C-alpha cells in the first residue's frame, strides 16, 4: 500500500477487505482455531499469567482457562483497536 503506483481507491478497498476479515474472525470459534494453532507451534504450555485482585497498569479480566484469558485480554482488545484504527484512517 506504500508503492508509488497504488491509488487511493485500491488502498481503501484493501482497508475495507482487512476490516471485514477482522470482523468476521472476531468470535470465539475462530479464536479457538487460532489458539489451537498457537499451542501446536509453542514449545511449552500456554498458561494464564499471574493476576491480582487490583490491577491498574494493564488489563486484568479474569479467565478460567488460558484460552478464555487470552480471548478476553488480548484478542478482543487488539482486534477492536485495529478495526477502530482502520475506520479512523
Amino acid at each position: 500500500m506504500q508503492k508509488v503506483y497504488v491509488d487511493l481507491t485500491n488502498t481503501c478497498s484493501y482497508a475495507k477487505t482487512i476490516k471485514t476479515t477482522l470482523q468476521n474472525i472476531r468470535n470465539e470459534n475462530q479464536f479457538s482455531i487460532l489458539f489451537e494453532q498457537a499451542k501446536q507451534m509453542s514449545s511449552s504450555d500456554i498458561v494464564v499469567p499471574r493476576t491480582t485482585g487490583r490491577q491498574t497498569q494493564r488489563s486484568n479480566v479474569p479467565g478460567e482457562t488460558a484460552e478464555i484469558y487470552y480471548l478476553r485480554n488480548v484478542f478482543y482488545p487488539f482486534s477492536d483497536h485495529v478495526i477502530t484504527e482502520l475506520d479512523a484512517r
Side-chain angles (χ1 to χ4, degrees), residues 14-45:
Y14 296 147
K16 284 181 184 178
T17 302
I18 293 168
K19 179 183 166 195
T20 303
T21 303
L22 284 173
Q23 288 173 334
N24 289 338
I25 66 168
R26 193 191 174 282
N27 61 47
E28 290 184 29
N29 295 332
Q30 290 296 322
F31 179 75
S32 293
I33 294 168
L34 292 172
F35 193 77
E36 286 301 318
Q37 291 174 351
K39 281 177 24 180
Q40 291 173 359
M41 293 177 4
S42 176
S43 60
S44 61
D45 290 335

Side-chain angles (χ1 to χ4, degrees), residues 30-78:
Q30 290 296 322
F31 179 75
S32 293
I33 294 168
L34 292 172
F35 193 77
E36 286 301 318
Q37 291 174 351
K39 281 177 24 180
Q40 291 173 359
M41 293 177 4
S42 176
S43 60
S44 61
D45 290 335
I46 299 175
V47 296
V48 178
R50 183 178 62 89
T51 58
T52 61
R54 194 173 93 194
Q55 181 65 260
T56 59
Q57 299 300 318
R58 63 183 170 95
S59 180
N60 197 30
V61 178
E64 299 79 35
T65 64
E67 184 175 351
I68 293 172
Y69 176 84
Y70 285 107
L71 173 72
R72 292 177 184 169
N73 288 296
V74 177
F75 184 69
Y76 283 157
F78 179 74

Side-chain angles (χ1 to χ4, degrees), residues 1-2 6-21 86-89:
M1 283 197 247
Q2 296 180 359
V6 175
D7 64 350
L8 183 60
T9 308
N10 287 342
T11 304
C12 289
S13 174
Y14 296 147
K16 284 181 184 178
T17 302
I18 293 168
K19 179 183 166 195
T20 303
T21 303
L86 285 172
D87 279 338
R89 295 177 193 271

